[in-house]
Amino acid sequence: MSMKQIRAALLGAWLAAIASVVHAQYSTDWIANTFGTIAAHVGNGARSMWVAPEGVIYTSSRWDENAGGVAMYQNGQGIGTIGLHDEFQGGAITGNASSLFVALGYNRTFGSGSVGRYNRSTNTRDLRIPVSVWTGLQYADVITGLATAGTLLYVSDFYGNRVRVFTTNGVWQRDINVTGPGALALDAAGNLWVARKSAGVVVQYSPAGTLMNTIQMGAASRPSALYFDASTGLLMVGDEGPDMNIKSYGLVGIPAQVGTFGVQGGYLDTTSGIKGQVGDKRFTRVAGIGKDAAGNLYVLNNAWGGGWDLGRNGSTDLHAYSPAGALQWKLQALNFEAVAAPDPATDGAYFYSGANIYTGTAGGTFVANTIDPFTYPRDPRLDMRDYQRGQHFGQLVTVGGNRILVASGQNPANFNFYYFNAASGYIAIPAGSLPGKPFNTTLQVTAGFAIDGNGDVWAGLNGTNAITHYLMTGFDATGKPSWGKPTTIPVPATVAPVTRIVYQSDSDTMILAQGLAGNWDWTAMNGYIEVYHGWKAGNTSAPNPVITLTSPNPKSIAAAGRYLFVGYVHTVPNIDVFDLSTGSLVTTLTNSNPAAMDVGNDVDSMYGIRAYLRSSGEYVITKDNYNGSSIVVYRWLP
């Protein structure tokens, strides 16, 4: 080889290397959690809270994938966790100078209905107190309230319709009969206050258990949290009803309401914000109230949305306020086993999950909770019997300025449709389900699902071995979409049984991923993917390219522009990017920002990644990160 040829070859290799590096440039970011690393992340799904006088905040959760179920915070930072990731029930916690008392989760040895005592110095459990005879309830709050004063511990045994009184060493003292007891508080005189949420009342009992006074709240009020403020002598009551605020009651003589904290109507108020908009004093479900010795107020919110799995019922949204009521900081963990789709209407600046809206970078901003439990009480996202453990995975398209949101579970066979209009603000209005009335079928979707840029729905209905296409026919005056009668196309034999469907309406490209033949697990992919260009134009039999994945256990796919994005389960957190024209692997998205964040272990869900091509040519790809209770956001410019 001549020197000229050598120089040419070296130049070619150098240019190829540079092109490869440039092609792989991307940033790695996150939203839906205040902190990006697993070590520092805000704990998932906190549903109860106790605040120590020195300002240490303890919250309890049914499940956190990578931390103890009791999280500790101070001054806006995490300072540790207690227990195993699934040790606690999540619904009740209290403490004193030396100990924490926490409702324990269902355990195969002792069942449900117990309270654990934990040493605050060592963070270890030193006592279990059996409370309820209802020991077989795995997915329900058996213990719904805890309070302590002096040497006594008070426990709400919800299904036992009683408040049980023990010493802090676990010795039973007496029972107080109360129907459906919930949150508890003790006033300066040692009187016990018991919230009966479904009845809308807070009931007072003497230290001996004698009924004294009853605070009858409004007919729609739902007292969900109690705190006695010794500095003011007021009882603070979190209202989970339509007011969505905290009410304060004077206790001298006949109890009477003397004030409120928070915007009346909370996140649904339209006088100070957009309906659904969360933020400073725009509360959702008030799950916990507490103050420290300096007078700072802490409010724990749970955004609406959940299912029978209490680890996915609500999310952590903790606000700290100064004694004057000024917001000081927020700690949030808003995503567990879920994903948010980039919003085409904002060119990917906003992200819609099944229940929430986000924007921003480095943790992002929690914009809105899209569920209105009062106007739409039968919204499937509120169904506590939902076998899919919540409808937190979002898919989103915009058609003629109208957004259509599809919410589903982790490995879904059902998909729920929603729309938006100006009058409802950020609230997603139920539009029906597949299977369900809008689509005139009872068959579940077990062979792939997609909603394309025109709003058309493509579904692999169970047992049909066909791709069913529902053409969107338009929107009514309120913005509600409708679909026409379906047409069906047999699944190409070369890719049967199909398990994933992606259709790109802008390029008439159909992407079909094959499942496992003869296997019970219809959610699994086998790594074989066919790409059909010109599908609606008639090409339903000549795929080009065919992509055969070499990495094991593919789980989720998404497409945008010229590229296919693939995530994997039980292996790596990587997202592989393939060219839809050639089928070649273009790049792999891993973590370009390891000092600030983690990207989790894998994608353990069928629709756990979403992708969008921005007008600038940049691709935005989102990925579920259940390890860190967040959403990973890649921004990639080929």
Side-chain angles (χ1 to χ4, degrees), residues 441-631:
T441 184
T442 59
L443 296 177
Q444 291 190 309
V445 183
T446 58
F449 171 89
I451 183 167
D452 68 27
N454 293 326
D456 291 6
V457 172
W458 305 78
L461 301 181
N462 187 46
T464 63
N465 196 33
I467 298 169
T468 301
H469 176 207
Y470 296 91
L471 183 71
M472 204 200 75
T473 55
F475 300 89
D476 69 11
T478 69
K480 183 178 181 178
S482 58
W483 291 267
K485 293 182 178 180
T487 59
T488 59
I489 301 173
V491 172
T494 52
V495 75
V498 72
T499 186
R500 301 290 189 278
I501 297 171
V502 178
Y503 180 73
Q504 294 181 286
S505 56
D506 55 351
S507 62
D508 191 19
T509 301
M510 177 65 79
I511 304 161
L512 302 176
Q514 192 170 52
L516 303 178
N519 192 289
W520 63 269
D521 187 2
W522 53 267
T523 73
M525 298 168 57
N526 73 354
Y528 178 81
I529 300 171
E530 293 185 346
V531 181
Y532 293 82
H533 296 287
W535 178 268
K536 289 177 71 174
N539 177 25
T540 61
S541 59
N544 183 21
V546 170
I547 301 171
T548 301
L549 304 175
T550 57
S551 295
N553 299 338
K555 184 67 175 182
S556 183
I557 63 173
R562 296 171 45 205
Y563 300 99
L564 176 70
F565 304 87
V566 182
Y568 304 87
V569 65
H570 303 319
T571 51
V572 293
N574 303 347
I575 302 295
D576 284 337
V577 184
F578 294 87
D579 191 307
L580 287 171
S581 297
T582 65
S584 60
L585 176 65
V586 176
T587 192
T588 298
L589 308 177
T590 55
N591 187 0
S592 63
N593 192 18
M597 63 176 291
D598 296 307
V599 295
N601 288 344
D602 56 7
V603 182
D604 188 17
S605 48
M606 292 178 70
Y607 301 92
I609 59 174
R610 299 287 93 203
Y612 172 73
L613 173 59
R614 300 187 64 207
S615 59
S616 63
E618 178 185 66
Y619 288 80
V620 181
I621 306 98
T622 56
K623 181 179 83 74
D624 169 28
N625 179 13
Y626 60 89
N627 299 100
S629 297
S630 68
I631 299 168

Side-chain angles (χ1 to χ4, degrees), residues 50-51 93-101 120 146-149 153:
W50 178 70
V51 180
I93 186 171
T94 193
N96 58 26
S98 59
S99 300
L100 282 178
F101 300 88
R120 288 185 60 201
L146 287 166
T148 185
L153 173 69

Side-chain angles (χ1 to χ4, degrees), residues 383-440:
D383 186 0
M384 291 299 290
R385 300 165 298 174
D386 178 14
Y387 77 96
Q388 296 182 99
R389 298 190 288 190
Q391 302 289 310
H392 297 295
F393 289 81
Q395 300 183 46
L396 186 73
V397 296
T398 301
V399 182
N402 297 283
R403 291 184 179 92
I404 303 173
L405 172 69
V406 182
S408 65
Q410 179 180 355
N411 291 299
N414 299 347
F415 296 82
N416 298 296
F417 292 73
Y418 299 85
Y419 66 101
F420 301 82
N421 59 38
S424 295
Y426 289 123
I427 297 302
I429 305 168
S433 302
L434 176 64
K437 184 177 179 180
F439 302 96
N440 196 30

Side-chain angles (χ1 to χ4, degrees), residues 1-15:
M1 181 182 290
S2 69
M3 186 60 66
K4 184 176 181 180
Q5 289 174 314
I6 292 173
R7 284 197 298 267
L10 290 174
L11 178 61
W14 179 78
L15 289 173

